[in-house]
Each structure stands twice: as C-alpha cells, then as structure tokens.
Amino acid sequence: LTANLINAIVVTDVSEATVGIYRAQCKADVVVSTFAENMSPQEFAATCQMIAAFADGATRFEIETDEQSLNGTSVTTHTRAVIPPAHRDTWSRVLHVIDDITKLTDAKTNAATVHGQFVDAIASVTDGFCLFDADGYLVLCNDMYRTIHGYSAAETEPGVATYDSLGVLDQARGDGSTESLSFVDRLDKL
C-alpha cells in the first residue's frame, strides 16, 4: 500500500508552482503552468474538466480515465474530488480519492463478452430453449422456442414476460392443458 501511495505522488517544484500561481490570470492557468508537464494528455484533460466544474460552482467531480502508471502499464482510474465546505471560496483544499479500477473494468468487459457468447450459443440451438429466473420471469429464449409456441418477440421480452403470462397466452389460444400453469405450482411438483 505504501509503495502505491508513493507512486501516486506527482513531484512538483514548489517554488516554480508558487511563481506560476502568482502570475496566473485565472485558476485554470495554474493547472496549465504547474501540472501539464507531469500528466498524460488524458489525465490533464480530466484535471481541466475538474477545474472547470469547480469554477462553475460544482463542489464534487468524478471521472474515469485510462492512464499510464509509473512503470508503463495501462490502468483505468476512477477519480473523485471534493472541495470541503469550509474551503469552497478559496479552493485551499481539494480532497482526491483515486481508485485503480482496471481489474473491475476488465472483469466487466470479460463478462459482457462471455454473456454475448452465451446468448449466441443459445440462439444457435436447434431445439426450443428458455430460461426463467427464480421469480418466474423470462431471462432469455431462442427463436425456436418462440416458433414452437407461436410467441412474438414482444410476448417474450426478457424481464417482462413471465412463465404465468406465457401460460395464459397458451390457454387463451387453446394450446395448453386445463391444468394449472402457475410457475409456483410447477416448482412445487419438482
């Protein structure tokens, strides 16, 4: 942890920064003269967005950026900055929390890829296939399932269609038995 904190510190010449602040026409000039040479272009753009948001009266700012770490690896960070109430007029204190969300971002990307592959695999099954959640809501089904039962895409919208609502459609069309088609009743029989 200590090594990560040390790596997060940007070294700035305090005397040069003081002169830059003294000569600046506005707070944005301070950012340009003091920090620009120590930041990646994306990090610098995010800092400028933060300064502009604070100049417009915001007291909080959040952004995700892709940056290069000090050892050259790519990292995705989520930065939150807050000006405490007692310092809002002077900006004399801005609190920053920077989280490395690289693994989270990668996990989300991988999950989306796997989900897409799963949906594609279900779509290619030649038998009718459907999946309901524990509450009886349709999670997904393939086109063959729709064809076999005569359902439209609108009638089988995931998260909206339920086992019970599809059973009611079947009964109305005369496609089902007269036996109860309740999802709960079917689960009780298992």
Side-chain angles (χ1 to χ4, degrees):
L1 178 64
T2 305
N4 289 340
L5 291 174
I6 291 170
N7 287 338
I9 296 171
V10 175
V11 178
T12 303
D13 181 335
V14 176
S15 298
E16 185 179 322
T18 304
V19 170
I21 291 169
Y22 179 75
R23 291 183 182 160
Q25 298 295 313
C26 65
K27 291 178 183 176
D29 287 348
V30 174
V31 173
V32 171
S33 65
T34 308
F35 302 113
E37 64 192 46
N38 297 317
M39 296 181 177
S40 69
Q42 187 179 15
E43 188 179 4
F44 179 69
T47 301
C48 289
Q49 286 178 330
M50 177 186 68
I51 296 295
F54 288 156
D56 287 340
T59 57
R60 296 177 166 275
F61 181 79
E62 291 190 42
I63 193 165
E64 287 185 11
T65 56
D66 293 318
E67 303 172 14
Q68 295 291 317
S69 69
L70 294 177
N71 67 7
T73 59
S74 296
V75 294
T76 302
T77 60
H78 180 248
T79 302
R80 293 180 299 274
V82 177
I83 300 176
H87 302 277
R88 290 189 179 149
D89 291 335
T90 62
W91 294 14
S92 58
R93 189 161 289 151
V94 179
L95 307 175
H96 285 86
V97 176
I98 303 172
D99 296 316
D100 181 348
I101 59 169
T102 306
K103 289 181 181 176
L104 175 64
T105 304
D106 291 348
K108 286 180 180 178
T109 301
N110 291 341
T113 301
V114 169
H115 180 263
Q117 291 170 342
F118 176 69
V119 169
D120 289 346
I122 297 303
S124 68
V125 172
T126 56
D127 296 324
F129 181 89
C130 65
L131 178 65
F132 292 91
D133 68 14
D135 296 321
Y137 284 91
L138 183 67
V139 175
L140 64 92
C141 70
N142 64 4
D143 287 336
M144 184 55 73
Y145 178 79
R146 287 188 192 97
T147 301
I148 290 169
H149 294 282
Y151 299 141
S152 68
E155 292 168 332
T156 56
E157 184 177 345
V160 177
T162 64
Y163 184 88
D164 295 344
S165 69
L166 295 176
V168 168
L169 281 174
D170 289 343
Q171 283 185 332
R173 295 177 182 156
D175 294 339
S177 68
T178 57
E179 181 182 349
S180 170
L181 296 173
S182 162
F183 184 69
V184 173
D185 291 342
R186 295 286 174 144
L187 287 178
D188 287 342
K189 289 183 176 185
L190 294 178

